[in-house]
């Protein structure tokens, strides 16, 4: 699987958009970009994933650059409950269930009042 | 939704005993289930991958005779930590996946071996 690089920590004011970047310069054509988050002492929560088009769901938006070497997760209106570790993961299973997820250190997002 | 449960949520056991952790997909059939371990202040590490009805595939360095995995049905996988020792104390998390799409994680099980 391609390696990802994320900033170790970020801050965001409550109510503002949180933009979390991720670099995956060695991504290959069949690899998806997945985002998960983990709130302290809980299992990771799936947020969103995409291949090359931008994606949006009820939780967030995912913007993938045209060359696919980087992406940005956008939480449009951050709340205190969005404080968590956010993981950007590239998976080579082409969206099937057989892909292993390799978790890096992620980005600690702190949302403050 | 895609809900995965784990039981128990926490367990304390004595050194040398065995502990079984259950992972269930509540509202979907899981073709594949995964088991992860997370030590304090570290990221998740994949331990093994299991498909219903077949033997689990263990990651390098994970002892298959110590961490027994059974995936008896499309909604249930179990992890048994045999002859547990204090160094096995950790946060164990399972995930489940349909034939396509993302993995959904359980809430985790905190194991403390005294």
């Amino acid at each position: 699987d391609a390696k990802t690089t994320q900033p170790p920590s970020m801050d965001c004011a409550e109510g503002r958009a949180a933009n979390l970047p991720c670099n995956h310069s060695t991504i290959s054509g069949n690899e998806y970009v997945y985002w998960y988050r983990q709130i302290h002492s809980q299992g990771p929560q799936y947020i969103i994933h995409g291949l090359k088009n931008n994606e949006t769901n009820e939780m967030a938006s995912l913007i993938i650059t045209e060359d696919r070497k980087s992406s940005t997760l956008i939480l449009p209106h951050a709340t205190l409950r969005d404080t968590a570790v956010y993981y950007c993961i590239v998976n080579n299973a082409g969206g099937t269930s057989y892909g292993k997820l390799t978790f890096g250190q992620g980005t600690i997002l702190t949302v403050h009042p | 939704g895609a809900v995965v449960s784990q039981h128990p949520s926490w367990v304390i056991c004595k050194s040398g005993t065995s502990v079984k952790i259950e992972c269930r997909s509540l509202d979907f059939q899981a073709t594949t289930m995964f088991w992860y371990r997370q030590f304090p202040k570290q990221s998740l590490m994949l331990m093994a991958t299991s498909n219903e009805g077949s033997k689990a595939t263990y990651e390098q360095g994970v002892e298959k005779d110590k961490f027994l995995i059974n995936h008896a049905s499309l909604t249930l996988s179990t992890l048994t930590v045999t002859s547990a020792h204090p160094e096995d104390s950790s946060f164990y998390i399972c995930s489940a996946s349909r034939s396509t799409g993302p993995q959904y994680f359980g809430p985790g099980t905190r194991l403390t071996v005294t």
Side-chain angles (χ1 to χ4, degrees):
Chain A
D1 293 339
K3 180 177 169 57
T4 63
T5 303
Q6 298 178 253
S9 65
M10 293 183 64
D11 287 338
C12 178
E14 189 177 20
R16 306 297 292 267
N19 297 280
L20 291 88
C22 179
N23 286 322
H24 31 80
S25 59
T26 60
I27 193 170
S28 61
N30 66 341
E31 289 182 315
Y32 284 70
V33 180
Y34 285 83
W35 283 85
Y36 286 82
R37 71 181 182 184
Q38 186 176 27
I39 296 170
H40 183 62
S41 295
Q42 297 182 24
Q45 178 186 23
Y46 165 75
I47 301 173
I48 199 167
H49 75 285
L51 183 61
K52 49 186 171 183
N53 297 323
N54 297 337
E55 302 286 346
T56 295
N57 62 19
E58 65 278 5
M59 288 184 67
S61 294
L62 174 60
I63 308 298
I64 302 174
T65 59
E66 192 168 343
D67 64 8
R68 302 187 70 237
K69 293 185 177 181
S70 66
S71 61
T72 301
L73 177 74
I74 301 172
L75 307 178
H77 305 287
T79 70
L80 298 179
R81 288 177 294 181
D82 292 322
T83 293
V85 181
Y86 286 77
Y87 297 99
C88 168
I89 301 168
V90 170
N91 177 272
N92 69 355
T96 72
S97 65
Y98 300 102
K100 299 187 296 186
L101 297 179
T102 302
F103 285 81
Q105 295 306 306
T107 296
I108 300 172
L109 174 68
T110 303
V111 181
H112 51 84
Chain B
V3 181
V4 177
S5 70
Q6 282 184 241
H7 178 81
S9 56
W10 60 270
V11 57
I12 301 172
C13 71
K14 292 188 175 181
S15 186
T17 62
S18 296
V19 174
K20 180 185 285 188
I21 303 169
E22 290 188 350
C23 175
R24 294 181 184 272
S25 55
L26 298 184
D27 53 1
F28 67 100
Q29 291 189 325
T31 308
T32 307
M33 287 184 167
F34 304 81
W35 287 94
Y36 296 79
R37 180 167 54 179
Q38 185 175 33
F39 292 107
K41 299 190 184 301
Q42 295 185 23
S43 194
L44 282 78
M45 293 293 294
L46 179 66
M47 299 176 67
T49 303
S50 74
N51 295 298
E52 183 259 342
S54 58
K55 288 184 178 180
T57 301
Y58 291 81
E59 294 299 296
Q60 191 171 10
V62 178
E63 300 173 60
K64 61 181 180 182
D65 294 331
K66 180 171 183 63
F67 299 99
L68 302 180
I69 292 171
N70 183 276
H71 192 162
S73 76
L74 286 172
T75 60
L76 173 64
S77 176
T78 60
L79 168 69
T80 301
V81 183
T82 63
S83 186
H85 288 94
E87 57 265 30
D88 298 323
S89 298
S90 188
F91 191 47
Y92 291 86
I93 310 168
C94 73
S95 70
S97 180
R98 301 181 180 93
S99 57
T100 61
Q103 293 178 32
Y104 296 95
F105 287 80
T109 297
R110 177 81 52 194
L111 170 64
T112 301
V113 184
T114 61

